[in-house]
Coordinates of all heavy atoms in Angstrom, one line a residue:
S355 N -14.4 -2.1 24.5 CA -15.5 -2.9 24.9 C -16.1 -3.7 23.7 O -15.9 -3.3 22.5 CB -16.6 -2.1 25.5 OG -17.4 -1.4 24.5
S356 N -16.7 -4.8 23.9 CA -17.3 -5.5 22.8 C -18.4 -4.8 22.0 O -18.5 -5.0 20.8 CB -17.8 -6.9 23.3 OG -18.9 -6.7 24.2
E357 N -19.1 -3.9 22.7 CA -20.1 -3.1 22.1 C -19.4 -2.1 21.1 O -19.9 -1.9 20.0 CB -20.9 -2.3 23.1 CG -22.1 -1.6 22.5 CD -22.9 -0.9 23.6 OE1 -23.1 -1.4 24.7 OE2 -23.4 0.2 23.3
A358 N -18.3 -1.5 21.5 CA -17.6 -0.6 20.6 C -17.0 -1.3 19.4 O -17.1 -0.8 18.3 CB -16.5 0.1 21.4
D359 N -16.5 -2.5 19.7 CA -16.0 -3.4 18.6 C -17.0 -3.7 17.6 O -16.8 -3.6 16.4 CB -15.3 -4.7 19.2 CG -14.0 -4.5 19.8 OD1 -13.3 -3.4 19.5 OD2 -13.6 -5.3 20.6
Q360 N -18.2 -4.1 18.1 CA -19.3 -4.5 17.2 C -19.8 -3.3 16.4 O -20.0 -3.4 15.2 CB -20.5 -5.1 17.9 CG -21.5 -5.7 17.0 CD -20.9 -6.8 16.2 OE1 -20.2 -7.7 16.7 NE2 -21.1 -6.8 14.9
L361 N -19.9 -2.1 17.0 CA -20.4 -0.9 16.3 C -19.3 -0.5 15.3 O -19.7 -0.2 14.1 CB -20.5 0.2 17.3 CG -21.0 1.6 16.7 CD1 -22.4 1.4 16.0 CD2 -21.1 2.6 17.8
F362 N -18.0 -0.6 15.6 CA -17.0 -0.3 14.6 C -17.1 -1.3 13.4 O -17.0 -0.8 12.3 CB -15.6 -0.5 15.3 CG -14.5 0.0 14.5 CD1 -14.1 1.3 14.5 CD2 -13.8 -0.9 13.7 CE1 -13.0 1.8 13.7 CE2 -12.7 -0.5 12.9 CZ -12.3 0.9 12.9
Q363 N -17.2 -2.6 13.7 CA -17.3 -3.5 12.6 C -18.5 -3.3 11.7 O -18.4 -3.4 10.5 CB -17.4 -5.0 13.2 CG -16.0 -5.4 13.8 CD -16.2 -6.8 14.5 OE1 -17.0 -7.6 14.1 NE2 -15.3 -7.0 15.4
D364 N -19.7 -3.0 12.4 CA -20.9 -2.8 11.6 C -20.8 -1.5 10.8 O -21.4 -1.4 9.7 CB -22.1 -2.7 12.6 CG -22.4 -4.0 13.2 OD1 -21.9 -5.0 12.8 OD2 -23.2 -4.0 14.2
T365 N -20.1 -0.5 11.3 CA -19.9 0.7 10.5 C -19.0 0.7 9.4 O -19.3 1.1 8.3 CB -19.5 1.9 11.5 OG1 -20.4 2.0 12.6 CG2 -19.4 3.2 10.8
F366 N -17.8 0.1 9.6 CA -16.7 0.1 8.6 C -16.6 -1.2 7.8 O -16.0 -1.1 6.7 CB -15.4 0.5 9.3 CG -15.4 1.9 9.8 CD1 -15.5 2.1 11.2 CD2 -15.3 3.0 9.0 CE1 -15.5 3.4 11.7 CE2 -15.3 4.3 9.5 CZ -15.4 4.5 10.9
C367 N -17.0 -2.3 8.3 CA -17.0 -3.6 7.5 C -15.6 -3.9 7.0 O -15.4 -4.2 5.8 CB -18.0 -3.6 6.4 SG -19.7 -3.3 7.0
L368 N -14.6 -3.7 7.8 CA -13.2 -4.0 7.4 C -12.7 -5.3 7.9 O -13.1 -5.7 9.0 CB -12.3 -2.9 7.9 CG -12.5 -1.4 7.4 CD1 -11.6 -0.5 8.2 CD2 -12.1 -1.4 5.9
D369 N -11.8 -5.9 7.2 CA -11.0 -7.0 7.7 C -9.6 -6.7 7.4 O -9.2 -5.7 6.8 CB -11.5 -8.3 7.1 CG -11.3 -8.5 5.7 OD1 -10.6 -7.7 5.0 OD2 -11.9 -9.4 5.1
F370 N -8.7 -7.5 7.9 CA -7.2 -7.3 7.7 C -6.8 -7.7 6.3 O -5.9 -8.6 6.2 CB -6.4 -8.0 8.8 CG -6.4 -7.3 10.1 CD1 -7.4 -7.4 11.0 CD2 -5.4 -6.4 10.4 CE1 -7.4 -6.7 12.2 CE2 -5.3 -5.7 11.6 CZ -6.3 -5.9 12.5
S371 N -7.4 -7.1 5.3 CA -7.0 -7.4 3.9 C -7.1 -6.1 3.1 O -7.7 -5.1 3.5 CB -7.9 -8.5 3.3 OG -9.2 -8.0 3.1
V372 N -6.4 -6.2 2.0 CA -6.4 -5.1 1.0 C -6.8 -5.7 -0.3 O -6.2 -6.6 -0.8 CB -5.0 -4.4 0.9 CG1 -5.0 -3.3 -0.1 CG2 -4.6 -3.8 2.3
T373 N -7.7 -5.1 -1.0 CA -8.1 -5.5 -2.4 C -7.7 -4.3 -3.3 O -8.1 -3.2 -3.1 CB -9.6 -5.8 -2.5 OG1 -9.9 -6.9 -1.5 CG2 -9.9 -6.3 -3.9
Y374 N -7.0 -4.7 -4.4 CA -6.6 -3.7 -5.4 C -6.7 -4.3 -6.8 O -6.8 -5.5 -6.9 CB -5.2 -3.2 -5.1 CG -4.1 -4.3 -5.2 CD1 -3.3 -4.4 -6.3 CD2 -3.9 -5.2 -4.1 CE1 -2.4 -5.4 -6.4 CE2 -2.9 -6.2 -4.2 CZ -2.2 -6.2 -5.4 OH -1.2 -7.2 -5.5
E375 N -6.6 -3.4 -7.8 CA -6.7 -3.9 -9.1 C -5.3 -3.8 -9.8 O -4.6 -2.7 -9.6 CB -7.7 -3.1 -9.9 CG -7.9 -3.7 -11.3 CD -9.1 -3.0 -12.0 OE1 -10.1 -2.8 -11.4 OE2 -8.9 -2.6 -13.2
A376 N -4.8 -4.8 -10.4 CA -3.6 -4.8 -11.1 C -3.7 -5.5 -12.4 O -4.2 -6.7 -12.5 CB -2.5 -5.5 -10.3
L377 N -3.4 -4.8 -13.5 CA -3.5 -5.4 -14.9 C -4.9 -5.9 -15.1 O -5.1 -7.0 -15.7 CB -2.4 -6.5 -15.1 CG -1.0 -6.1 -14.8 CD1 -0.1 -7.3 -14.9 CD2 -0.6 -5.0 -15.8
G378 N -5.9 -5.2 -14.7 CA -7.3 -5.5 -15.0 C -7.9 -6.6 -14.1 O -9.0 -7.0 -14.3
E379 N -7.1 -7.1 -13.2 CA -7.7 -8.1 -12.3 C -7.6 -7.7 -10.8 O -6.7 -7.0 -10.4 CB -7.1 -9.5 -12.5 CG -5.8 -9.8 -12.0 CD -5.3 -11.2 -12.3 OE1 -5.2 -11.6 -13.5 OE2 -4.9 -11.9 -11.4
R380 N -8.6 -8.1 -10.0 CA -8.7 -7.7 -8.6 C -7.9 -8.7 -7.8 O -8.0 -9.9 -8.0 CB -10.1 -7.7 -8.1 CG -10.9 -6.5 -8.8 CD -12.4 -6.6 -8.4 NE -12.6 -6.6 -6.9 CZ -12.7 -5.5 -6.2 NH1 -12.6 -4.3 -6.7 NH2 -12.9 -5.6 -4.9
R381 N -7.1 -8.2 -6.9 CA -6.2 -9.1 -6.1 C -6.5 -8.7 -4.6 O -6.7 -7.5 -4.3 CB -4.7 -8.9 -6.4 CG -4.4 -9.3 -7.8 CD -3.0 -9.1 -8.1 NE -2.7 -9.4 -9.5 CZ -1.6 -9.3 -10.1 NH1 -0.5 -8.9 -9.4 NH2 -1.4 -9.6 -11.4
T382 N -6.4 -9.6 -3.7 CA -6.6 -9.4 -2.3 C -5.4 -9.9 -1.6 O -4.9 -11.0 -1.8 CB -7.9 -10.1 -1.8 OG1 -9.0 -9.5 -2.5 CG2 -8.1 -9.8 -0.3
V383 N -4.9 -9.1 -0.7 CA -3.7 -9.5 0.2 C -4.2 -9.5 1.6 O -4.8 -8.5 2.1 CB -2.6 -8.4 0.0 CG1 -1.5 -8.7 1.0 CG2 -2.1 -8.4 -1.4
N384 N -3.9 -10.6 2.3 CA -4.1 -10.7 3.7 C -3.0 -10.0 4.5 O -1.8 -10.3 4.3 CB -4.2 -12.2 4.2 CG -4.7 -12.3 5.6 OD1 -4.6 -11.4 6.4 ND2 -5.1 -13.5 5.9
L385 N -3.3 -9.0 5.3 CA -2.3 -8.2 6.0 C -1.7 -9.0 7.2 O -0.7 -8.6 7.7 CB -2.8 -6.9 6.4 CG -3.3 -5.9 5.3 CD1 -3.9 -4.7 5.9 CD2 -2.1 -5.6 4.4
L386 N -2.5 -10.0 7.6 CA -2.0 -10.8 8.8 C -1.4 -12.1 8.2 O -2.2 -13.0 7.9 CB -3.2 -11.1 9.7 CG -3.8 -9.9 10.4 CD1 -5.0 -10.3 11.2 CD2 -2.7 -9.3 11.4
E387 N -0.1 -12.1 8.0 CA 0.5 -13.3 7.5 C 0.3 -14.5 8.4 O 0.2 -14.4 9.6 CB 2.0 -13.1 7.3 CG 2.3 -12.0 6.3 CD 3.8 -11.6 6.3 OE1 4.6 -12.3 6.9 OE2 4.1 -10.7 5.6
G388 N 0.0 -15.6 7.8 CA -0.2 -16.9 8.5 C -1.6 -17.2 8.8 O -1.9 -18.3 9.2
E389 N -2.5 -16.2 8.6 CA -3.9 -16.5 8.7 C -4.6 -16.7 7.4 O -4.3 -16.0 6.4 CB -4.6 -15.3 9.4 CG -4.3 -15.1 10.9 CD -5.3 -14.2 11.5 OE1 -6.3 -13.8 11.0 OE2 -5.0 -13.7 12.7
E390 N -5.4 -17.8 7.3 CA -6.0 -18.1 6.0 C -7.1 -17.1 5.7 O -7.2 -16.6 4.6 CB -6.6 -19.5 6.1 CG -7.0 -20.1 4.8 CD -7.4 -21.6 4.9 OE1 -6.6 -22.3 5.5 OE2 -8.4 -21.9 4.3
T391 N -7.9 -16.8 6.7 CA -9.0 -15.8 6.5 C -8.7 -14.6 7.3 O -8.4 -14.7 8.5 CB -10.4 -16.4 6.9 OG1 -10.6 -17.6 6.2 CG2 -11.5 -15.5 6.6
P392 N -8.7 -13.4 6.7 CA -8.4 -12.2 7.4 C -9.4 -12.0 8.6 O -10.6 -12.1 8.4 CB -8.5 -11.1 6.4 CG -8.5 -11.7 5.1 CD -9.0 -13.1 5.3
S393 N -8.9 -11.6 9.7 CA -9.8 -11.3 10.9 C -10.5 -9.9 10.6 O -9.9 -9.0 10.0 CB -8.9 -11.2 12.1 OG -8.2 -12.3 12.4
P394 N -11.6 -9.7 11.3 CA -12.3 -8.4 11.2 C -11.5 -7.4 12.0 O -10.8 -7.7 12.9 CB -13.7 -8.7 11.8 CG -13.6 -9.9 12.5 CD -12.4 -10.7 12.0
V395 N -11.5 -6.2 11.5 CA -10.9 -5.1 12.2 C -11.9 -4.6 13.3 O -13.0 -4.2 13.0 CB -10.5 -3.9 11.2 CG1 -9.9 -2.7 12.0 CG2 -9.6 -4.4 10.1
T396 N -11.4 -4.6 14.5 CA -12.2 -4.2 15.6 C -11.8 -2.8 16.1 O -10.7 -2.3 15.7 CB -12.1 -5.1 16.8 OG1 -10.8 -5.2 17.3 CG2 -12.6 -6.5 16.4
F397 N -12.6 -2.2 16.9 CA -12.2 -0.9 17.5 C -10.9 -1.0 18.2 O -10.0 -0.1 18.1 CB -13.3 -0.4 18.4 CG -13.1 1.0 19.0 CD1 -13.2 2.1 18.2 CD2 -12.6 1.1 20.3 CE1 -13.0 3.4 18.7 CE2 -12.4 2.4 20.8 CZ -12.6 3.5 20.1
Q398 N -10.7 -2.1 18.9 CA -9.5 -2.3 19.7 C -8.2 -2.5 18.8 O -7.1 -2.2 19.2 CB -9.6 -3.6 20.6 CG -10.8 -3.5 21.5 CD -10.4 -3.1 22.9 OE1 -9.3 -3.3 23.3 NE2 -11.3 -2.6 23.7
R399 N -8.4 -3.0 17.6 CA -7.3 -3.3 16.7 C -7.2 -2.4 15.5 O -6.4 -2.6 14.6 CB -7.4 -4.8 16.2 CG -7.3 -5.8 17.3 CD -7.4 -7.2 16.8 NE -6.2 -7.6 16.1 CZ -6.1 -8.7 15.4 NH1 -7.1 -9.5 15.3 NH2 -4.9 -8.9 14.8
R400 N -7.9 -1.3 15.5 CA -7.9 -0.3 14.4 C -6.5 0.2 14.2 O -6.1 0.4 13.0 CB -8.9 0.8 14.6 CG -8.6 1.7 15.7 CD -9.8 2.6 16.0 NE -9.5 3.7 16.9 CZ -9.4 3.5 18.3 NH1 -9.6 2.3 18.8 NH2 -9.2 4.6 19.0
D401 N -5.7 0.5 15.2 CA -4.4 1.1 15.0 C -3.4 0.0 14.4 O -2.6 0.4 13.5 CB -3.8 1.5 16.4 CG -4.5 2.7 16.9 OD1 -5.0 3.5 16.2 OD2 -4.4 2.9 18.2
E402 N -3.6 -1.2 14.8 CA -2.8 -2.3 14.2 C -3.1 -2.4 12.7 O -2.2 -2.5 11.8 CB -3.1 -3.6 14.8 CG -2.4 -4.8 14.3 CD -2.9 -6.1 14.9 OE1 -3.8 -6.2 15.7 OE2 -2.2 -7.2 14.5
F403 N -4.4 -2.3 12.3 CA -4.8 -2.3 10.9 C -4.2 -1.2 10.1 O -3.6 -1.3 9.0 CB -6.3 -2.3 10.7 CG -6.8 -2.1 9.3 CD1 -6.7 -3.2 8.4 CD2 -7.2 -0.9 8.8 CE1 -7.1 -3.1 7.1 CE2 -7.6 -0.7 7.5 CZ -7.5 -1.8 6.6
A404 N -4.3 0.0 10.7 CA -3.7 1.2 10.0 C -2.2 1.1 9.8 O -1.7 1.4 8.7 CB -4.0 2.5 10.9
E405 N -1.5 0.6 10.8 CA -0.1 0.4 10.7 C 0.3 -0.7 9.6 O 1.2 -0.5 8.8 CB 0.5 0.0 12.0 CG 2.0 -0.1 12.0 CD 2.7 1.3 11.9 OE1 2.0 2.3 12.2 OE2 3.8 1.3 11.5
L406 N -0.4 -1.8 9.6 CA -0.2 -2.9 8.6 C -0.5 -2.4 7.2 O 0.2 -2.6 6.2 CB -1.0 -4.1 8.9 CG -0.6 -4.9 10.1 CD1 -1.6 -6.0 10.5 CD2 0.8 -5.6 9.9
F407 N -1.6 -1.6 7.1 CA -2.0 -1.1 5.8 C -1.0 -0.1 5.3 O -0.5 -0.2 4.1 CB -3.4 -0.4 5.8 CG -3.8 0.2 4.5 CD1 -4.4 -0.6 3.5 CD2 -3.6 1.5 4.2 CE1 -4.7 -0.1 2.3 CE2 -3.9 2.1 3.0 CZ -4.5 1.3 2.0
K408 N -0.5 0.8 6.1 CA 0.5 1.8 5.8 C 1.8 1.0 5.3 O 2.3 1.4 4.2 CB 0.8 2.7 6.9 CG 2.0 3.7 6.7 CD 2.4 4.3 7.9 CE 3.3 3.3 8.6 NZ 4.1 3.8 9.7
N409 N 2.2 0.1 6.1 CA 3.4 -0.7 5.7 C 3.3 -1.4 4.4 O 4.2 -1.4 3.5 CB 3.8 -1.7 6.8 CG 4.3 -1.0 8.0 OD1 4.7 0.1 8.0 ND2 4.3 -1.7 9.1
W410 N 2.1 -2.0 4.1 CA 1.8 -2.7 2.9 C 1.9 -1.7 1.7 O 2.5 -1.9 0.7 CB 0.5 -3.4 2.9 CG 0.2 -4.0 1.5 CD1 0.6 -5.1 1.0 CD2 -0.6 -3.3 0.5 NE1 0.1 -5.3 -0.3 CE2 -0.6 -4.2 -0.6 CE3 -1.3 -2.1 0.4 CZ2 -1.3 -3.8 -1.8 CZ3 -2.0 -1.8 -0.7 CH2 -2.0 -2.7 -1.8
Y411 N 1.2 -0.6 1.9 CA 1.1 0.4 0.8 C 2.4 1.0 0.4 O 2.8 1.1 -0.7 CB 0.1 1.6 1.3 CG -0.1 2.5 0.2 CD1 -1.1 2.3 -0.8 CD2 0.6 3.8 0.1 CE1 -1.3 3.1 -1.9 CE2 0.3 4.6 -1.0 CZ -0.6 4.3 -1.9 OH -0.8 5.2 -2.9
I412 N 3.2 1.3 1.4 CA 4.6 1.9 1.2 C 5.5 0.8 0.5 O 6.3 1.2 -0.4 CB 5.2 2.5 2.4 CG1 4.4 3.7 2.8 CG2 6.6 2.8 2.3 CD1 4.7 4.3 4.2
T413 N 5.5 -0.4 1.0 CA 6.4 -1.4 0.5 C 5.9 -2.1 -0.7 O 6.7 -2.4 -1.6 CB 6.8 -2.4 1.6 OG1 5.6 -3.0 2.1 CG2 7.5 -1.7 2.8
S414 N 4.7 -2.5 -0.8 CA 4.2 -3.3 -1.9 C 3.2 -2.6 -2.8 O 3.2 -2.8 -4.0 CB 3.5 -4.5 -1.3 OG 4.3 -5.3 -0.5
G415 N 2.3 -1.8 -2.2 CA 1.3 -1.1 -3.0 C 1.7 -0.3 -4.1 O 1.1 -0.2 -5.1
I416 N 2.8 0.5 -3.9 CA 3.2 1.4 -4.9 C 4.5 0.9 -5.6 O 5.1 1.7 -6.4 CB 3.4 2.8 -4.4 CG1 4.4 2.9 -3.3 CG2 2.0 3.4 -4.0 CD1 4.8 4.3 -2.9
S417 N 5.0 -0.2 -5.2 CA 6.3 -0.7 -5.7 C 6.4 -0.8 -7.2 O 7.4 -0.3 -7.8 CB 6.8 -2.0 -5.1 OG 5.9 -3.0 -5.4
S418 N 5.4 -1.3 -7.9 CA 5.5 -1.5 -9.4 C 5.4 -0.1 -10.0 O 6.2 0.1 -11.0 CB 4.4 -2.4 -9.9 OG 3.1 -1.8 -9.6
S419 N 4.7 0.8 -9.5 CA 4.6 2.2 -10.1 C 5.9 2.9 -9.9 O 6.5 3.5 -10.8 CB 3.5 3.0 -9.5 OG 2.3 2.4 -9.8
F420 N 6.5 2.8 -8.7 CA 7.7 3.4 -8.4 C 8.9 2.8 -9.2 O 9.7 3.5 -9.7 CB 8.1 3.3 -6.9 CG 9.3 4.1 -6.6 CD1 9.3 5.5 -6.5 CD2 10.5 3.4 -6.4 CE1 10.5 6.2 -6.2 CE2 11.7 4.1 -6.1 CZ 11.7 5.5 -6.0
D421 N 8.9 1.5 -9.4 CA 9.9 0.8 -10.2 C 9.9 1.3 -11.6 O 10.9 1.5 -12.2 CB 9.8 -0.7 -10.1 CG 10.1 -1.3 -8.7 OD1 10.8 -0.6 -8.0 OD2 9.7 -2.4 -8.5
A422 N 8.7 1.5 -12.2 CA 8.6 2.0 -13.5 C 9.1 3.4 -13.6 O 9.8 3.8 -14.6 CB 7.1 1.9 -14.0
F423 N 8.8 4.2 -12.6 CA 9.3 5.6 -12.6 C 10.8 5.6 -12.5 O 11.5 6.3 -13.2 CB 8.7 6.4 -11.4 CG 9.4 7.6 -11.1 CD1 9.2 8.8 -11.9 CD2 10.4 7.7 -10.1 CE1 9.8 10.0 -11.6 CE2 11.0 8.9 -9.8 CZ 10.8 10.0 -10.6
R424 N 11.4 4.7 -11.6 CA 12.8 4.7 -11.5 C 13.5 4.2 -12.7 O 14.5 4.8 -13.1 CB 13.2 3.7 -10.3 CG 14.7 3.7 -10.1 CD 15.1 2.7 -9.0 NE 14.1 1.8 -8.6 CZ 14.0 1.4 -7.3 NH1 14.8 1.8 -6.4 NH2 13.0 0.6 -7.0
R425 N 12.9 3.3 -13.4 CA 13.6 2.8 -14.7 C 13.6 4.0 -15.7 O 14.6 4.2 -16.4 CB 12.8 1.6 -15.3 CG 13.2 0.3 -14.6 CD 12.6 -0.9 -15.3 NE 11.2 -0.8 -15.6 CZ 10.2 -1.2 -14.7 NH1 10.6 -1.7 -13.5 NH2 9.0 -1.2 -15.0
G426 N 12.5 4.7 -15.8 CA 12.4 5.8 -16.8 C 13.4 6.9 -16.4 O 14.1 7.5 -17.2
F427 N 13.4 7.2 -15.1 CA 14.3 8.3 -14.6 C 15.8 7.9 -14.8 O 16.6 8.7 -15.3 CB 14.1 8.5 -13.1 CG 14.9 9.6 -12.5 CD1 14.4 10.9 -12.6 CD2 16.1 9.3 -11.8 CE1 15.1 11.9 -12.0 CE2 16.8 10.4 -11.3 CZ 16.3 11.7 -11.4
D428 N 16.1 6.6 -14.5 CA 17.5 6.2 -14.8 C 17.8 6.2 -16.2 O 19.0 6.5 -16.6 CB 17.7 4.7 -14.2 CG 17.7 4.7 -12.7 OD1 17.8 5.8 -12.1 OD2 17.6 3.6 -12.1
R429 N 16.9 5.9 -17.1 CA 17.1 5.9 -18.5 C 17.5 7.3 -19.0 O 18.4 7.5 -19.8 CB 15.9 5.4 -19.3 CG 16.2 5.2 -20.8 CD 15.0 4.6 -21.5 NE 14.6 3.3 -20.9 CZ 13.3 2.9 -20.9 NH1 12.4 3.5 -21.5 NH2 13.0 1.7 -20.3
V430 N 16.8 8.3 -18.5 CA 17.1 9.7 -18.9 C 18.4 10.2 -18.2 O 19.2 10.7 -18.9 CB 15.9 10.6 -18.5 CG1 16.3 12.1 -18.7 CG2 14.7 10.2 -19.3
C431 N 18.5 9.9 -16.9 CA 19.6 10.5 -16.2 C 20.9 9.8 -16.5 O 22.0 10.3 -16.3 CB 19.3 10.5 -14.7 SG 18.0 11.6 -14.3
A432 N 20.9 8.5 -16.9 CA 22.1 7.8 -17.2 C 22.5 8.1 -18.7 O 23.6 7.6 -19.1 CB 21.9 6.3 -17.0
S433 N 21.8 8.8 -19.4 CA 22.1 9.1 -20.8 C 23.3 10.0 -20.9 O 23.4 11.0 -20.2 CB 20.9 9.8 -21.5 OG 21.2 10.4 -22.7
P434 N 24.2 9.8 -21.9 CA 25.3 10.7 -22.1 C 24.9 12.1 -22.4 O 25.6 13.0 -22.1 CB 26.1 10.0 -23.3 CG 25.5 8.7 -23.4 CD 24.2 8.6 -22.8
V435 N 23.8 12.2 -23.1 CA 23.2 13.6 -23.4 C 23.0 14.3 -22.1 O 23.3 15.5 -22.0 CB 22.0 13.5 -24.3 CG1 21.4 14.8 -24.5 CG2 22.3 12.8 -25.6
Y436 N 22.3 13.7 -21.2 CA 22.0 14.3 -19.9 C 23.3 14.8 -19.2 O 23.3 15.9 -18.6 CB 21.2 13.4 -19.0 CG 20.9 13.9 -17.7 CD1 19.8 14.7 -17.5 CD2 21.6 13.6 -16.5 CE1 19.5 15.2 -16.2 CE2 21.3 14.1 -15.3 CZ 20.2 14.9 -15.1 OH 19.9 15.4 -13.9
N437 N 24.3 14.0 -19.2 CA 25.6 14.4 -18.5 C 26.3 15.5 -19.2 O 27.1 16.2 -18.6 CB 26.5 13.1 -18.5 CG 25.9 12.1 -17.6 OD1 25.3 12.3 -16.6 ND2 26.2 10.8 -17.9
C438 N 26.0 15.8 -20.5 CA 26.6 16.9 -21.2 C 26.0 18.3 -20.9 O 26.5 19.3 -21.2 CB 26.6 16.7 -22.7 SG 27.6 15.2 -23.2
L439 N 24.8 18.2 -20.3 CA 24.0 19.5 -20.1 C 24.4 20.1 -18.8 O 24.7 19.4 -17.8 CB 22.5 19.2 -20.1 CG 22.0 18.6 -21.4 CD1 20.5 18.2 -21.2 CD2 22.1 19.6 -22.6
S440 N 24.4 21.5 -18.8 CA 24.7 22.2 -17.5 C 23.4 22.3 -16.7 O 22.3 22.1 -17.2 CB 25.3 23.6 -17.8 OG 24.2 24.4 -18.4
A441 N 23.5 22.8 -15.5 CA 22.4 22.9 -14.6 C 21.4 24.0 -15.2 O 20.2 23.8 -15.2 CB 22.8 23.4 -13.2
G442 N 22.0 25.0 -15.8 CA 21.1 26.1 -16.4 C 20.4 25.5 -17.6 O 19.2 25.9 -17.9
E443 N 21.0 24.6 -18.4 CA 20.3 24.0 -19.6 C 19.2 23.1 -19.1 O 18.2 22.9 -19.8 CB 21.3 23.3 -20.4 CG 22.3 24.3 -21.1 CD 23.5 23.6 -21.8 OE1 24.0 22.6 -21.2 OE2 23.8 24.0 -22.9
L444 N 19.4 22.4 -18.0 CA 18.4 21.5 -17.5 C 17.2 22.2 -16.9 O 16.1 21.6 -16.9 CB 19.0 20.6 -16.4 CG 20.0 19.6 -16.9 CD1 20.7 18.9 -15.7 CD2 19.4 18.6 -17.8
E445 N 17.3 23.4 -16.5 CA 16.2 24.2 -16.0 C 15.3 24.5 -17.1 O 14.1 24.5 -17.2 CB 16.6 25.5 -15.3 CG 17.2 25.2 -14.0 CD 17.6 26.5 -13.3 OE1 17.0 27.6 -13.6 OE2 18.4 26.5 -12.4

């Protein structure tokens, strides 16, 4: 109902965007591609927002942190020294 939508909007004040900080600057991403201004999240569309946020977080939100981890992990695991160690020595 429109009353539930309005109460939801007044309570949570969400729109279909994500704001985060990267390298000391705040960035905002519109989760609804193709829209210039993010729409408000209503009670009726809360599941859609949750799904879009989850997808953004998993694919984009942590990608730079994960990429840095992967580069460090690969640097250690691809080392000839690492390949010379047995499983017991790695423990």
Side-chain angles (χ1 to χ4, degrees):
S355 79
S356 64
E357 187 178 322
D359 283 341
Q360 191 60 51
L361 181 59
F362 188 87
Q363 289 174 27
D364 292 345
T365 302
F366 295 104
C367 303
L368 293 172
D369 62 18
F370 279 87
S371 69
V372 175
T373 301
Y374 63 99
E375 189 171 312
L377 303 172
E379 77 182 56
R380 292 176 55 88
R381 298 178 184 182
T382 300
V383 174
N384 187 344
L385 298 173
L386 295 172
E387 296 175 6
E389 287 193 13
E390 193 170 313
T391 304
S393 301
V395 178
T396 63
F397 183 76
Q398 303 260 336
R399 296 182 71 190
R400 69 191 188 282
D401 291 336
E402 179 186 3
F403 172 78
E405 188 69 22
L406 288 169
F407 179 82
K408 177 193 74 165
N409 290 340
W410 173 84
Y411 186 79
I412 290 171
T413 58
S414 302
I416 61 171
S417 65
S418 63
S419 297
F420 184 77
D421 289 344
F423 168 78
R424 182 182 13 215
R425 283 191 305 274
F427 185 83
D428 289 345
R429 188 176 304 151
V430 171
C431 292
S433 166
V435 173
Y436 179 81
N437 292 330
C438 293
L439 300 174
S440 69
E443 292 170 320
L444 290 173
E445 286 184 21

